[in-house]
Structure formats: C-alpha cells, structure tokens
Amino acid sequence: MPSEPPPPGFELPLRLLLAFRTITDELHERITREGHPDLRPMYGFVLQAIGPQGTTASELGRRLGVTKQAAGKTVDNLEQLGYVERAADPADTRRKVVRLTERGMDCLLRSARIFDELREEWSEVLGEEQLRLLGDGLRRLAPGDPFRLDTPPWFGTP
C-alpha cells in the first residue's frame, strides 16, 4: 500500500497559524461572554507584558518591540477600557508606572482558566498523549521563552 506524499512545506506554518487563530478566537468568544467584550487579541499581549508588578511605557514598548509612543497609545486605549491605570512610581515620582486594574487582573485570570479549558478540549479531540507529543515537538522546534511578547508588531499591529 503506497503511502501518501508529505504535505507541501508551506502548509505547516499555515496550520500552526490557523491553530493559533482558532484557539485565540475561541478564547475571545468566551471572555466576551464573561464580561470582557472590548478585549482584542493584541491586548492580551500587552496585559501580559505589563504583568502584576506594572511597568513604564518605555519598558512596555521594549517588551512588545514597539515605540514608546505606540505603547503609550495602547495604554491609553486600555486605560479608557478600565484594564490599566497610570500612577506615580513610588521609587521615582517623576516616572509614571502602568499597572493592571482589578479588571485587568480579572481578565488575565479568566484568560488563563479559559486556555486551560481549551487545552482540555484539544486533549479530548487529539488524545492526551498526542497533544503532549505535539507540545514536546513544538518546544524542540521552537525553543526559548514562550512568552515572547514582541509578536504583535511582527504581524503589523502595534
């Protein structure tokens, strides 16, 4: 019985991107139902980059791989939506620190839970062993920090 030829090489990155979009879109559908309808995919990267300790707009820009001005504009949007706030840096009152609000922390906690639920659903479809093998293979093929937050500008969004 002849085996099928492997798919063309360009299909792999497209399938990986489609899987990323599928899980991200499902997260956003669910998080919208849980009270975060204004959240855009890019905002998740920004909230992660701010983190529970907060950061400055300059540092946020470095973490995201964008200019301080682009980071500041995104912070403006997130501030209007109630996800972040600006406050004086306790160590240097001339500097402003961007911090997550209670709403921002709620969003991150809900996102983490939803991603765990989605992983469980993918495990039900693929089987735990196959999903674990997929994850192991991806870690070997793409080693390094999985929290590389400079991805949004790579796709052309600040």
Side-chain angles (χ1 to χ4, degrees), residues 4-5 15 19 29 36 85 87 92-93 107 112 115 124 135 140 142-143:
E4 279 189 43
R15 291 282 173 201
E29 274 185 40
H36 296 279
E85 62 187 2
D92 181 353
T93 56
C107 182
F115 274 130
E124 290 171 9
R140 286 197 336 258

Side-chain angles (χ1 to χ4, degrees), residues 56-83:
T56 64
S58 295
E59 178 58 26
L60 181 60
R62 279 191 290 282
R63 290 178 187 176
L64 295 171
V66 300
T67 65
K68 177 184 173 182
Q69 292 78 13
K73 183 176 179 181
T74 302
V75 167
D76 289 343
N77 293 339
L78 287 169
E79 192 172 31
Q80 288 175 344
L81 295 170
Y83 289 101

Side-chain angles (χ1 to χ4, degrees), residues 3 6 9 12 14-16 36 43 47 49 52 54 63 81 83 89 98 114 133 149 155:
S3 64
L12 179 61
L14 294 175
R15 291 282 173 201
L16 290 169
H36 296 279
Y43 292 160
L47 295 176
R63 290 178 187 176
L81 295 170
Y83 289 101
D89 184 340
V98 179
I114 291 168
L133 287 171
L149 298 172
F155 283 107

Side-chain angles (χ1 to χ4, degrees), residues 7-27:
F10 66 81
E11 187 176 321
L12 179 61
L14 294 175
R15 291 282 173 201
L16 290 169
L17 180 60
L18 184 57
F20 173 78
R21 281 290 314 264
T22 299
I23 202 166
T24 300
D25 289 348
E26 183 60 30
L27 166 83

Side-chain angles (χ1 to χ4, degrees), residues 14-151:
L14 294 175
R15 291 282 173 201
L16 290 169
L17 180 60
L18 184 57
F20 173 78
R21 281 290 314 264
T22 299
I23 202 166
T24 300
D25 289 348
E26 183 60 30
L27 166 83
H28 283 274
E29 274 185 40
R30 293 180 189 193
I31 205 145
T32 292
R33 290 193 302 264
E34 293 193 19
H36 296 279
D38 298 320
L39 194 69
R40 295 184 3 209
M42 178 192 58
Y43 292 160
F45 286 99
V46 177
L47 295 176
Q48 286 289 336
I50 293 169
Q53 303 307 313
T55 190
T56 64
S58 295
E59 178 58 26
L60 181 60
R62 279 191 290 282
R63 290 178 187 176
L64 295 171
V66 300
T67 65
K68 177 184 173 182
Q69 292 78 13
K73 183 176 179 181
T74 302
V75 167
D76 289 343
N77 293 339
L78 287 169
E79 192 172 31
Q80 288 175 344
L81 295 170
Y83 289 101
V84 301
E85 62 187 2
R86 289 181 171 102
D89 184 340
D92 181 353
T93 56
R94 295 170 296 174
R95 287 180 3 148
K96 292 285 186 188
V97 175
V98 179
R99 295 188 306 221
L100 299 177
T101 61
E102 188 176 317
R103 181 170 173 74
M105 284 302 298
D106 178 71
C107 182
L108 283 183
L109 292 172
R110 287 175 187 268
S111 294
R113 179 186 44 76
I114 291 168
F115 274 130
D116 287 344
E117 292 170 1
L118 290 167
R119 189 207 179 278
E120 181 61 33
E121 291 169 21
W122 283 32
S123 176
E124 290 171 9
V125 172
L126 295 176
E128 183 57 33
E129 181 62 21
Q130 190 169 355
L131 186 59
R132 190 178 309 276
L133 287 171
L134 175 63
D136 291 346
L138 289 172
R139 279 186 285 285
R140 286 197 336 258
L141 291 170
D145 184 1
F147 290 101
R148 186 166 174 193
L149 298 172
D150 63 346
T151 301

